[in-house]
Amino acid sequence: MSKMKNLELKQISYQELLIEVQEVYELIHKLTNSYVEITSYVSTSLIPYLSFVCDGLDYFHAGTSKVHSSWYNDIEGNSVQELIKENRSALKLYSEYKRNKVIPKLEDDTVLFNELLFGNYNLIQKAYIKLFGQHDLGIYFFKEIDYANTYQLFKNIKTLYSDNKGIIGPVMKEFGIVLANYISKANIYPVSKTPNKIFSLTDNFTHQDVYFKDSKRFDAFNSTEDKYWLLFLYNYYCQNNFIRNIFPVVLGVRGNFYYRMKFCTYLLSIKGLDLLAKKVPKITEEYSDINELINARETIVPIKSDLRNNLFHYNVVNIPYEAFDGKGNFFKQMIEYSVMKSFEEFDNQIDQELNKYQKLISQILF
């Protein structure tokens, strides 16, 4: 491809990023105009997604006078750019590790998470925890759908927590403000005329400290290896529910950013399932659907497909410039060129596979 075509393709990539920046900016705008209770229920879950967009902006704005993470002061010794990259990677939920590294990482983070949970306990409470362990796991529900859990959310703040154990609240708030400010300054489009307030009822949201798996009194902090895998799967289960329910229903995110995140979390979920099948092969004997889901992924988005890279990064590669007509939806045109089918057909296929995945994980866990 000629240098001119590469430049034009990069311009299309950047234009698509700015379209998605607007979606996320409107999301933030809705949150700031809504009930504090609802904001508190979803704000921590949003940090990796905001970081995802900011990381894309960092890539395109490097070396320019446009807003960049280097505009912002370090947060308690952590550069904003590094925090953005760390929190963006939180979406992967350990799927970036090789199968022999996943359990040790889960173990290390669980120790930190457990420490956070009872960090403010008194001596008697800590003695009890030392004897009997920490059994509670906080789970967030929207209309009885579990869309987040405190372990998953801890992964979003782990980098900040490790160096700032005593002041994690203020540090998290500062980082969230920086992300919102970054996106606000990068947005070039006016707020649309759609409602700019969240209308979901606060009663739709609930939070409970419960045993992770009531039927078997599952202890999320037990060192038994297979229980770490259950928690590993549950994180994907919650993440999928967040993207498929909180984004479109509560936050009104139904554009390209919503589809990008849904497709990304599908690929991450199946990669995690593949890790599980290789690490704990006996589970595929009990749940044969695991191999079916993994094999289906290869027909939908092959592991070596350029589409995967183009979904996780805003710089589109290995697609001819002519695949974009300059008038339609660039994101949908990228999908259609890559999979050789209509966007609607591809989206329906992903939804069907995610439905199967969520049903399977529910069977394994509950």
Side-chain angles (χ1 to χ4, degrees), residues 259 262-263 299-301 332 335-336 339-353:
Y259 289 112
K262 181 168 68 171
F263 300 159
T299 64
I300 298 169
V301 183
K332 291 184 177 182
I335 296 293
E336 290 178 340
V339 300
M340 303 300 291
K341 63 182 66 170
S342 72
F343 181 85
E344 290 72 20
E345 184 180 352
F346 178 76
D347 180 46
N348 287 335
Q349 195 172 21
I350 295 296
D351 272 332
Q352 290 171 11
E353 292 302 306

mmCIF file with all atom_site columns, all heavy atoms in Angstrom, residues 259 262-263 299-301 332 335-336 339-353:
data_model
loop_
_atom_site.group_PDB
_atom_site.id
_atom_site.type_symbol
_atom_site.label_atom_id
_atom_site.label_alt_id
_atom_site.label_comp_id
_atom_site.label_asym_id
_atom_site.label_entity_id
_atom_site.label_seq_id
_atom_site.pdbx_PDB_ins_code
_atom_site.Cartn_x
_atom_site.Cartn_y
_atom_site.Cartn_z
_atom_site.occupancy
_atom_site.B_iso_or_equiv
_atom_site.pdbx_formal_charge
_atom_site.auth_seq_id
_atom_site.auth_comp_id
_atom_site.auth_asym_id
_atom_site.auth_atom_id
_atom_site.pdbx_PDB_model_num
ATOM 1   N N   . TYR A 1 259 ? -20.426 -1.513  20.170 1.00 0.00 ? 259 TYR A N   1
ATOM 2   C CA  . TYR A 1 259 ? -20.167 -2.717  19.380 1.00 0.00 ? 259 TYR A CA  1
ATOM 3   C C   . TYR A 1 259 ? -18.703 -3.142  19.487 1.00 0.00 ? 259 TYR A C   1
ATOM 4   O O   . TYR A 1 259 ? -18.396 -4.341  19.599 1.00 0.00 ? 259 TYR A O   1
ATOM 5   C CB  . TYR A 1 259 ? -20.534 -2.476  17.916 1.00 0.00 ? 259 TYR A CB  1
ATOM 6   C CG  . TYR A 1 259 ? -22.023 -2.381  17.671 1.00 0.00 ? 259 TYR A CG  1
ATOM 7   C CD1 . TYR A 1 259 ? -22.619 -1.182  17.286 1.00 0.00 ? 259 TYR A CD1 1
ATOM 8   C CD2 . TYR A 1 259 ? -22.840 -3.501  17.851 1.00 0.00 ? 259 TYR A CD2 1
ATOM 9   C CE1 . TYR A 1 259 ? -23.982 -1.094  17.078 1.00 0.00 ? 259 TYR A CE1 1
ATOM 10  C CE2 . TYR A 1 259 ? -24.209 -3.417  17.640 1.00 0.00 ? 259 TYR A CE2 1
ATOM 11  C CZ  . TYR A 1 259 ? -24.775 -2.217  17.255 1.00 0.00 ? 259 TYR A CZ  1
ATOM 12  O OH  . TYR A 1 259 ? -26.139 -2.133  17.045 1.00 0.00 ? 259 TYR A OH  1
ATOM 13  N N   . LYS A 1 262 ? -18.267 -4.857  22.784 1.00 0.00 ? 262 LYS A N   1
ATOM 14  C CA  . LYS A 1 262 ? -18.951 -6.152  22.815 1.00 0.00 ? 262 LYS A CA  1
ATOM 15  C C   . LYS A 1 262 ? -18.150 -7.200  22.050 1.00 0.00 ? 262 LYS A C   1
ATOM 16  O O   . LYS A 1 262 ? -17.976 -8.332  22.524 1.00 0.00 ? 262 LYS A O   1
ATOM 17  C CB  . LYS A 1 262 ? -20.362 -6.035  22.230 1.00 0.00 ? 262 LYS A CB  1
ATOM 18  C CG  . LYS A 1 262 ? -21.132 -7.354  22.257 1.00 0.00 ? 262 LYS A CG  1
ATOM 19  C CD  . LYS A 1 262 ? -22.602 -7.171  21.952 1.00 0.00 ? 262 LYS A CD  1
ATOM 20  C CE  . LYS A 1 262 ? -22.859 -6.757  20.518 1.00 0.00 ? 262 LYS A CE  1
ATOM 21  N NZ  . LYS A 1 262 ? -24.301 -6.789  20.178 1.00 0.00 ? 262 LYS A NZ  1
ATOM 22  N N   . PHE A 1 263 ? -17.643 -6.827  20.880 1.00 0.00 ? 263 PHE A N   1
ATOM 23  C CA  . PHE A 1 263 ? -16.857 -7.765  20.089 1.00 0.00 ? 263 PHE A CA  1
ATOM 24  C C   . PHE A 1 263 ? -15.545 -8.100  20.790 1.00 0.00 ? 263 PHE A C   1
ATOM 25  O O   . PHE A 1 263 ? -15.086 -9.246  20.770 1.00 0.00 ? 263 PHE A O   1
ATOM 26  C CB  . PHE A 1 263 ? -16.587 -7.200  18.697 1.00 0.00 ? 263 PHE A CB  1
ATOM 27  C CG  . PHE A 1 263 ? -17.834 -6.899  17.890 1.00 0.00 ? 263 PHE A CG  1
ATOM 28  C CD1 . PHE A 1 263 ? -17.802 -6.005  16.822 1.00 0.00 ? 263 PHE A CD1 1
ATOM 29  C CD2 . PHE A 1 263 ? -19.047 -7.503  18.208 1.00 0.00 ? 263 PHE A CD2 1
ATOM 30  C CE1 . PHE A 1 263 ? -18.940 -5.724  16.087 1.00 0.00 ? 263 PHE A CE1 1
ATOM 31  C CE2 . PHE A 1 263 ? -20.208 -7.220  17.473 1.00 0.00 ? 263 PHE A CE2 1
ATOM 32  C CZ  . PHE A 1 263 ? -20.148 -6.330  16.411 1.00 0.00 ? 263 PHE A CZ  1
ATOM 33  N N   . THR A 1 299 ? -14.061 -19.828 13.491 1.00 0.00 ? 299 THR A N   1
ATOM 34  C CA  . THR A 1 299 ? -14.775 -19.614 12.229 1.00 0.00 ? 299 THR A CA  1
ATOM 35  C C   . THR A 1 299 ? -15.318 -18.191 12.126 1.00 0.00 ? 299 THR A C   1
ATOM 36  O O   . THR A 1 299 ? -15.503 -17.679 11.025 1.00 0.00 ? 299 THR A O   1
ATOM 37  C CB  . THR A 1 299 ? -15.948 -20.611 12.087 1.00 0.00 ? 299 THR A CB  1
ATOM 38  O OG1 . THR A 1 299 ? -16.907 -20.369 13.122 1.00 0.00 ? 299 THR A OG1 1
ATOM 39  C CG2 . THR A 1 299 ? -15.452 -22.046 12.196 1.00 0.00 ? 299 THR A CG2 1
ATOM 40  N N   . ILE A 1 300 ? -15.578 -17.570 13.275 1.00 0.00 ? 300 ILE A N   1
ATOM 41  C CA  . ILE A 1 300 ? -16.141 -16.219 13.274 1.00 0.00 ? 300 ILE A CA  1
ATOM 42  C C   . ILE A 1 300 ? -15.041 -15.165 13.152 1.00 0.00 ? 300 ILE A C   1
ATOM 43  O O   . ILE A 1 300 ? -15.083 -14.296 12.285 1.00 0.00 ? 300 ILE A O   1
ATOM 44  C CB  . ILE A 1 300 ? -16.962 -15.983 14.567 1.00 0.00 ? 300 ILE A CB  1
ATOM 45  C CG1 . ILE A 1 300 ? -18.129 -16.958 14.629 1.00 0.00 ? 300 ILE A CG1 1
ATOM 46  C CG2 . ILE A 1 300 ? -17.482 -14.546 14.627 1.00 0.00 ? 300 ILE A CG2 1
ATOM 47  C CD1 . ILE A 1 300 ? -18.838 -16.985 15.971 1.00 0.00 ? 300 ILE A CD1 1
ATOM 48  N N   . VAL A 1 301 ? -14.043 -15.244 14.033 1.00 0.00 ? 301 VAL A N   1
ATOM 49  C CA  . VAL A 1 301 ? -12.882 -14.349 13.988 1.00 0.00 ? 301 VAL A CA  1
ATOM 50  C C   . VAL A 1 301 ? -11.648 -15.211 14.253 1.00 0.00 ? 301 VAL A C   1
ATOM 51  O O   . VAL A 1 301 ? -11.287 -15.444 15.415 1.00 0.00 ? 301 VAL A O   1
ATOM 52  C CB  . VAL A 1 301 ? -12.961 -13.222 15.047 1.00 0.00 ? 301 VAL A CB  1
ATOM 53  C CG1 . VAL A 1 301 ? -11.762 -12.282 14.918 1.00 0.00 ? 301 VAL A CG1 1
ATOM 54  C CG2 . VAL A 1 301 ? -14.253 -12.436 14.922 1.00 0.00 ? 301 VAL A CG2 1
ATOM 55  N N   . LYS A 1 332 ? -18.441 -0.150  10.739 1.00 0.00 ? 332 LYS A N   1
ATOM 56  C CA  . LYS A 1 332 ? -19.206 -1.242  10.145 1.00 0.00 ? 332 LYS A CA  1
ATOM 57  C C   . LYS A 1 332 ? -18.585 -1.709  8.840  1.00 0.00 ? 332 LYS A C   1
ATOM 58  O O   . LYS A 1 332 ? -18.567 -2.906  8.538  1.00 0.00 ? 332 LYS A O   1
ATOM 59  C CB  . LYS A 1 332 ? -20.658 -0.797  9.932  1.00 0.00 ? 332 LYS A CB  1
ATOM 60  C CG  . LYS A 1 332 ? -21.426 -0.596  11.236 1.00 0.00 ? 332 LYS A CG  1
ATOM 61  C CD  . LYS A 1 332 ? -22.886 -0.254  11.002 1.00 0.00 ? 332 LYS A CD  1
ATOM 62  C CE  . LYS A 1 332 ? -23.625 -0.127  12.335 1.00 0.00 ? 332 LYS A CE  1
ATOM 63  N NZ  . LYS A 1 332 ? -25.057 0.164   12.164 1.00 0.00 ? 332 LYS A NZ  1
ATOM 64  N N   . ILE A 1 335 ? -15.732 -4.009  9.649  1.00 0.00 ? 335 ILE A N   1
ATOM 65  C CA  . ILE A 1 335 ? -16.213 -5.336  10.025 1.00 0.00 ? 335 ILE A CA  1
ATOM 66  C C   . ILE A 1 335 ? -16.631 -6.121  8.789  1.00 0.00 ? 335 ILE A C   1
ATOM 67  O O   . ILE A 1 335 ? -16.238 -7.282  8.597  1.00 0.00 ? 335 ILE A O   1
ATOM 68  C CB  . ILE A 1 335 ? -17.402 -5.227  11.001 1.00 0.00 ? 335 ILE A CB  1
ATOM 69  C CG1 . ILE A 1 335 ? -16.966 -4.587  12.323 1.00 0.00 ? 335 ILE A CG1 1
ATOM 70  C CG2 . ILE A 1 335 ? -18.031 -6.600  11.245 1.00 0.00 ? 335 ILE A CG2 1
ATOM 71  C CD1 . ILE A 1 335 ? -16.025 -5.415  13.150 1.00 0.00 ? 335 ILE A CD1 1
ATOM 72  N N   . GLU A 1 336 ? -17.415 -5.495  7.935  1.00 0.00 ? 336 GLU A N   1
ATOM 73  C CA  . GLU A 1 336 ? -17.955 -6.198  6.767  1.00 0.00 ? 336 GLU A CA  1
ATOM 74  C C   . GLU A 1 336 ? -16.854 -6.638  5.816  1.00 0.00 ? 336 GLU A C   1
ATOM 75  O O   . GLU A 1 336 ? -16.915 -7.744  5.250  1.00 0.00 ? 336 GLU A O   1
ATOM 76  C CB  . GLU A 1 336 ? -18.967 -5.300  6.059  1.00 0.00 ? 336 GLU A CB  1
ATOM 77  C CG  . GLU A 1 336 ? -20.250 -5.117  6.862  1.00 0.00 ? 336 GLU A CG  1
ATOM 78  C CD  . GLU A 1 336 ? -21.252 -4.192  6.217  1.00 0.00 ? 336 GLU A CD  1
ATOM 79  O OE1 . GLU A 1 336 ? -20.850 -3.390  5.343  1.00 0.00 ? 336 GLU A OE1 1
ATOM 80  O OE2 . GLU A 1 336 ? -22.448 -4.265  6.577  1.00 0.00 ? 336 GLU A OE2 1
ATOM 81  N N   . VAL A 1 339 ? -15.027 -9.785  7.615  1.00 0.00 ? 339 VAL A N   1
ATOM 82  C CA  . VAL A 1 339 ? -15.730 -11.058 7.813  1.00 0.00 ? 339 VAL A CA  1
ATOM 83  C C   . VAL A 1 339 ? -16.535 -11.484 6.592  1.00 0.00 ? 339 VAL A C   1
ATOM 84  O O   . VAL A 1 339 ? -17.119 -12.571 6.579  1.00 0.00 ? 339 VAL A O   1
ATOM 85  C CB  . VAL A 1 339 ? -16.645 -10.999 9.054  1.00 0.00 ? 339 VAL A CB  1
ATOM 86  C CG1 . VAL A 1 339 ? -15.817 -10.706 10.297 1.00 0.00 ? 339 VAL A CG1 1
ATOM 87  C CG2 . VAL A 1 339 ? -17.757 -9.964  8.885  1.00 0.00 ? 339 VAL A CG2 1
ATOM 88  N N   . MET A 1 340 ? -16.598 -10.606 5.594  1.00 0.00 ? 340 MET A N   1
ATOM 89  C CA  . MET A 1 340 ? -17.297 -10.911 4.337  1.00 0.00 ? 340 MET A CA  1
ATOM 90  C C   . MET A 1 340 ? -18.765 -11.266 4.554  1.00 0.00 ? 340 MET A C   1
ATOM 91  O O   . MET A 1 340 ? -19.305 -12.209 3.964  1.00 0.00 ? 340 MET A O   1
ATOM 92  C CB  . MET A 1 340 ? -16.580 -12.051 3.595  1.00 0.00 ? 340 MET A CB  1
ATOM 93  C CG  . MET A 1 340 ? -15.123 -11.777 3.295  1.00 0.00 ? 340 MET A CG  1
ATOM 94  S SD  . MET A 1 340 ? -14.887 -10.298 2.259  1.00 0.00 ? 340 MET A SD  1
ATOM 95  C CE  . MET A 1 340 ? -15.577 -10.861 0.688  1.00 0.00 ? 340 MET A CE  1
ATOM 96  N N   . LYS A 1 341 ? -19.400 -10.534 5.429  1.00 0.00 ? 341 LYS A N   1
ATOM 97  C CA  . LYS A 1 341 ? -20.831 -10.673 5.643  1.00 0.00 ? 341 LYS A CA  1
ATOM 98  C C   . LYS A 1 341 ? -21.355 -9.341  6.159  1.00 0.00 ? 341 LYS A C   1
ATOM 99  O O   . LYS A 1 341 ? -20.564 -8.458  6.529  1.00 0.00 ? 341 LYS A O   1
ATOM 100 C CB  . LYS A 1 341 ? -21.144 -11.802 6.628  1.00 0.00 ? 341 LYS A CB  1
ATOM 101 C CG  . LYS A 1 341 ? -20.597 -11.597 8.022  1.00 0.00 ? 341 LYS A CG  1
ATOM 102 C CD  . LYS A 1 341 ? -20.906 -12.780 8.942  1.00 0.00 ? 341 LYS A CD  1
ATOM 103 C CE  . LYS A 1 341 ? -20.207 -14.036 8.510  1.00 0.00 ? 341 LYS A CE  1
ATOM 104 N NZ  . LYS A 1 341 ? -20.305 -15.125 9.504  1.00 0.00 ? 341 LYS A NZ  1
ATOM 105 N N   . SER A 1 342 ? -22.663 -9.185  6.219  1.00 0.00 ? 342 SER A N   1
ATOM 106 C CA  . SER A 1 342 ? -23.214 -7.918  6.683  1.00 0.00 ? 342 SER A CA  1
ATOM 107 C C   . SER A 1 342 ? -22.912 -7.708  8.160  1.00 0.00 ? 342 SER A C   1
ATOM 108 O O   . SER A 1 342 ? -22.742 -8.673  8.915  1.00 0.00 ? 342 SER A O   1
ATOM 109 C CB  . SER A 1 342 ? -24.730 -7.869  6.459  1.00 0.00 ? 342 SER A CB  1
ATOM 110 O OG  . SER A 1 342 ? -25.388 -8.720  7.375  1.00 0.00 ? 342 SER A OG  1
ATOM 111 N N   . PHE A 1 343 ? -22.861 -6.455  8.545  1.00 0.00 ? 343 PHE A N   1
ATOM 112 C CA  . PHE A 1 343 ? -22.591 -6.133  9.950  1.00 0.00 ? 343 PHE A CA  1
ATOM 113 C C   . PHE A 1 343 ? -23.671 -6.730  10.841 1.00 0.00 ? 343 PHE A C   1
ATOM 114 O O   . PHE A 1 343 ? -23.375 -7.272  11.909 1.00 0.00 ? 343 PHE A O   1
ATOM 115 C CB  . PHE A 1 343 ? -22.542 -4.612  10.139 1.00 0.00 ? 343 PHE A CB  1
ATOM 116 C CG  . PHE A 1 343 ? -22.257 -4.195  11.549 1.00 0.00 ? 343 PHE A CG  1
ATOM 117 C CD1 . PHE A 1 343 ? -20.957 -4.109  12.016 1.00 0.00 ? 343 PHE A CD1 1
ATOM 118 C CD2 . PHE A 1 343 ? -23.298 -3.896  12.428 1.00 0.00 ? 343 PHE A CD2 1
ATOM 119 C CE1 . PHE A 1 343 ? -20.685 -3.743  13.329 1.00 0.00 ? 343 PHE A CE1 1
ATOM 120 C CE2 . PHE A 1 343 ? -23.041 -3.524  13.740 1.00 0.00 ? 343 PHE A CE2 1
ATOM 121 C CZ  . PHE A 1 343 ? -21.720 -3.444  14.189 1.00 0.00 ? 343 PHE A CZ  1
ATOM 122 N N   . GLU A 1 344 ? -24.913 -6.630  10.437 1.00 0.00 ? 344 GLU A N   1
ATOM 123 C CA  . GLU A 1 344 ? -26.026 -7.139  11.235 1.00 0.00 ? 344 GLU A CA  1
ATOM 124 C C   . GLU A 1 344 ? -25.905 -8.644  11.446 1.00 0.00 ? 344 GLU A C   1
ATOM 125 O O   . GLU A 1 344 ? -26.153 -9.154  12.552 1.00 0.00 ? 344 GLU A O   1
ATOM 126 C CB  . GLU A 1 344 ? -27.358 -6.807  10.556 1.00 0.00 ? 344 GLU A CB  1
ATOM 127 C CG  . GLU A 1 344 ? -27.734 -5.343  10.575 1.00 0.00 ? 344 GLU A CG  1
ATOM 128 C CD  . GLU A 1 344 ? -26.886 -4.485  9.626  1.00 0.00 ? 344 GLU A CD  1
ATOM 129 O OE1 . GLU A 1 344 ? -26.278 -5.057  8.680  1.00 0.00 ? 344 GLU A OE1 1
ATOM 130 O OE2 . GLU A 1 344 ? -26.826 -3.264  9.847  1.00 0.00 ? 344 GLU A OE2 1
ATOM 131 N N   . GLU A 1 345 ? -25.501 -9.357  10.396 1.00 0.00 ? 345 GLU A N   1
ATOM 132 C CA  . GLU A 1 345 ? -25.342 -10.809 10.522 1.00 0.00 ? 345 GLU A CA  1
ATOM 133 C C   . GLU A 1 345 ? -24.211 -11.146 11.495 1.00 0.00 ? 345 GLU A C   1
ATOM 134 O O   . GLU A 1 345 ? -24.335 -12.049 12.330 1.00 0.00 ? 345 GLU A O   1
ATOM 135 C CB  . GLU A 1 345 ? -25.049 -11.417 9.148  1.00 0.00 ? 345 GLU A CB  1
ATOM 136 C CG  . GLU A 1 345 ? -24.965 -12.943 9.157  1.00 0.00 ? 345 GLU A CG  1
ATOM 137 C CD  . GLU A 1 345 ? -24.679 -13.513 7.779  1.00 0.00 ? 345 GLU A CD  1
ATOM 138 O OE1 . GLU A 1 345 ? -24.691 -12.744 6.797  1.00 0.00 ? 345 GLU A OE1 1
ATOM 139 O OE2 . GLU A 1 345 ? -24.444 -14.737 7.693  1.00 0.00 ? 345 GLU A OE2 1
ATOM 140 N N   . PHE A 1 346 ? -23.112 -10.414 11.383 1.00 0.00 ? 346 PHE A N   1
ATOM 141 C CA  . PHE A 1 346 ? -21.979 -10.642 12.276 1.00 0.00 ? 346 PHE A CA  1
ATOM 142 C C   . PHE A 1 346 ? -22.361 -10.341 13.729 1.00 0.00 ? 346 PHE A C   1
ATOM 143 O O   . PHE A 1 346 ? -22.052 -11.115 14.638 1.00 0.00 ? 346 PHE A O   1
ATOM 144 C CB  . PHE A 1 346 ? -20.797 -9.769  11.845 1.00 0.00 ? 346 PHE A CB  1
ATOM 145 C CG  . PHE A 1 346 ? -19.589 -9.882  12.733 1.00 0.00 ? 346 PHE A CG  1
ATOM 146 C CD1 . PHE A 1 346 ? -18.757 -10.988 12.660 1.00 0.00 ? 346 PHE A CD1 1
ATOM 147 C CD2 . PHE A 1 346 ? -19.280 -8.874  13.637 1.00 0.00 ? 346 PHE A CD2 1
ATOM 148 C CE1 . PHE A 1 346 ? -17.641 -11.101 13.481 1.00 0.00 ? 346 PHE A CE1 1
ATOM 149 C CE2 . PHE A 1 346 ? -18.165 -8.971  14.460 1.00 0.00 ? 346 PHE A CE2 1
ATOM 150 C CZ  . PHE A 1 346 ? -17.337 -10.094 14.380 1.00 0.00 ? 346 PHE A CZ  1
ATOM 151 N N   . ASP A 1 347 ? -23.036 -9.226  13.932 1.00 0.00 ? 347 ASP A N   1
ATOM 152 C CA  . ASP A 1 347 ? -23.451 -8.830  15.284 1.00 0.00 ? 347 ASP A CA  1
ATOM 153 C C   . ASP A 1 347 ? -24.387 -9.868  15.886 1.00 0.00 ? 347 ASP A C   1
ATOM 154 O O   . ASP A 1 347 ? -24.262 -10.230 17.064 1.00 0.00 ? 347 ASP A O   1
ATOM 155 C CB  . ASP A 1 347 ? -24.119 -7.462  15.238 1.00 0.00 ? 347 ASP A CB  1
ATOM 156 C CG  . ASP A 1 347 ? -24.575 -6.976  16.605 1.00 0.00 ? 347 ASP A CG  1
ATOM 157 O OD1 . ASP A 1 347 ? -23.786 -7.089  17.564 1.00 0.00 ? 347 ASP A OD1 1
ATOM 158 O OD2 . ASP A 1 347 ? -25.710 -6.477  16.713 1.00 0.00 ? 347 ASP A OD2 1
ATOM 159 N N   . ASN A 1 348 ? -25.324 -10.361 15.104 1.00 0.00 ? 348 ASN A N   1
ATOM 160 C CA  . ASN A 1 348 ? -26.250 -11.390 15.587 1.00 0.00 ? 348 ASN A CA  1
ATOM 161 C C   . ASN A 1 348 ? -25.495 -12.663 15.964 1.00 0.00 ? 348 ASN A C   1
ATOM 162 O O   . ASN A 1 348 ? -25.823 -13.321 16.959 1.00 0.00 ? 348 ASN A O   1
ATOM 163 C CB  . ASN A 1 348 ? -27.307 -11.705 14.522 1.00 0.00 ? 348 ASN A CB  1
ATOM 164 C CG  . ASN A 1 348 ? -28.333 -10.604 14.379 1.00 0.00 ? 348 ASN A CG  1
ATOM 165 O OD1 . ASN A 1 348 ? -28.571 -9.832  15.308 1.00 0.00 ? 348 ASN A OD1 1
ATOM 166 N ND2 . ASN A 1 348 ? -28.951 -10.507 13.209 1.00 0.00 ? 348 ASN A ND2 1
ATOM 167 N N   . GLN A 1 349 ? -24.488 -12.988 15.169 1.00 0.00 ? 349 GLN A N   1
ATOM 168 C CA  . GLN A 1 349 ? -23.689 -14.181 15.445 1.00 0.00 ? 349 GLN A CA  1
ATOM 169 C C   . GLN A 1 349 ? -22.928 -14.038 16.768 1.00 0.00 ? 349 GLN A C   1
ATOM 170 O O   . GLN A 1 349 ? -22.891 -14.972 17.578 1.00 0.00 ? 349 GLN A O   1
ATOM 171 C CB  . GLN A 1 349 ? -22.715 -14.419 14.294 1.00 0.00 ? 349 GLN A CB  1
ATOM 172 C CG  . GLN A 1 349 ? -22.080 -15.796 14.288 1.00 0.00 ? 349 GLN A CG  1
ATOM 173 C CD  . GLN A 1 349 ? -21.276 -16.042 13.024 1.00 0.00 ? 349 GLN A CD  1
ATOM 174 O OE1 . GLN A 1 349 ? -20.867 -15.104 12.328 1.00 0.00 ? 349 GLN A OE1 1
ATOM 175 N NE2 . GLN A 1 349 ? -21.041 -17.309 12.711 1.00 0.00 ? 349 GLN A NE2 1
ATOM 176 N N   . ILE A 1 350 ? -22.359 -12.857 16.995 1.00 0.00 ? 350 ILE A N   1
ATOM 177 C CA  . ILE A 1 350 ? -21.650 -12.608 18.250 1.00 0.00 ? 350 ILE A CA  1
ATOM 178 C C   . ILE A 1 350 ? -22.616 -12.689 19.425 1.00 0.00 ? 350 ILE A C   1
ATOM 179 O O   . ILE A 1 350 ? -22.304 -13.282 20.470 1.00 0.00 ? 350 ILE A O   1
ATOM 180 C CB  . ILE A 1 350 ? -20.956 -11.234 18.229 1.00 0.00 ? 350 ILE A CB  1
ATOM 181 C CG1 . ILE A 1 350 ? -19.857 -11.183 17.171 1.00 0.00 ? 350 ILE A CG1 1
ATOM 182 C CG2 . ILE A 1 350 ? -20.384 -10.899 19.614 1.00 0.00 ? 350 ILE A CG2 1
ATOM 183 C CD1 . ILE A 1 350 ? -18.704 -12.131 17.409 1.00 0.00 ? 350 ILE A CD1 1
ATOM 184 N N   . ASP A 1 351 ? -23.795 -12.103 19.273 1.00 0.00 ? 351 ASP A N   1
ATOM 185 C CA  . ASP A 1 351 ? -24.796 -12.155 20.347 1.00 0.00 ? 351 ASP A CA  1
ATOM 186 C C   . ASP A 1 351 ? -25.187 -13.596 20.674 1.00 0.00 ? 351 ASP A C   1
ATOM 187 O O   . ASP A 1 351 ? -25.326 -13.966 21.849 1.00 0.00 ? 351 ASP A O   1
ATOM 188 C CB  . ASP A 1 351 ? -26.043 -11.353 19.960 1.00 0.00 ? 351 ASP A CB  1
ATOM 189 C CG  . ASP A 1 351 ? -25.933 -9.892  20.336 1.00 0.00 ? 351 ASP A CG  1
ATOM 190 O OD1 . ASP A 1 351 ? -25.224 -9.567  21.308 1.00 0.00 ? 351 ASP A OD1 1
ATOM 191 O OD2 . ASP A 1 351 ? -26.550 -9.052  19.650 1.00 0.00 ? 351 ASP A OD2 1
ATOM 192 N N   . GLN A 1 352 ? -25.369 -14.399 19.649 1.00 0.00 ? 352 GLN A N   1
ATOM 193 C CA  . GLN A 1 352 ? -25.730 -15.799 19.862 1.00 0.00 ? 352 GLN A CA  1
ATOM 194 C C   . GLN A 1 352 ? -24.635 -16.538 20.615 1.00 0.00 ? 352 GLN A C   1
ATOM 195 O O   . GLN A 1 352 ? -24.917 -17.321 21.543 1.00 0.00 ? 352 GLN A O   1
ATOM 196 C CB  . GLN A 1 352 ? -26.002 -16.483 18.519 1.00 0.00 ? 352 GLN A CB  1
ATOM 197 C CG  . GLN A 1 352 ? -27.277 -16.013 17.838 1.00 0.00 ? 352 GLN A CG  1
ATOM 198 C CD  . GLN A 1 352 ? -27.421 -16.525 16.421 1.00 0.00 ? 352 GLN A CD  1
ATOM 199 O OE1 . GLN A 1 352 ? -26.657 -17.408 15.984 1.00 0.00 ? 352 GLN A OE1 1
ATOM 200 N NE2 . GLN A 1 352 ? -28.378 -15.986 15.684 1.00 0.00 ? 352 GLN A NE2 1
ATOM 201 N N   . GLU A 1 353 ? -23.387 -16.285 20.230 1.00 0.00 ? 353 GLU A N   1
ATOM 202 C CA  . GLU A 1 353 ? -22.268 -16.950 20.900 1.00 0.00 ? 353 GLU A CA  1
ATOM 203 C C   . GLU A 1 353 ? -22.113 -16.465 22.337 1.00 0.00 ? 353 GLU A C   1
ATOM 204 O O   . GLU A 1 353 ? -21.799 -17.249 23.235 1.00 0.00 ? 353 GLU A O   1
ATOM 205 C CB  . GLU A 1 353 ? -20.972 -16.722 20.115 1.00 0.00 ? 353 GLU A CB  1
ATOM 206 C CG  . GLU A 1 353 ? -20.938 -17.412 18.757 1.00 0.00 ? 353 GLU A CG  1
ATOM 207 C CD  . GLU A 1 353 ? -21.122 -18.913 18.857 1.00 0.00 ? 353 GLU A CD  1
ATOM 208 O OE1 . GLU A 1 353 ? -20.369 -19.559 19.612 1.00 0.00 ? 353 GLU A OE1 1
ATOM 209 O OE2 . GLU A 1 353 ? -22.043 -19.443 18.201 1.00 0.00 ? 353 GLU A OE2 1
#
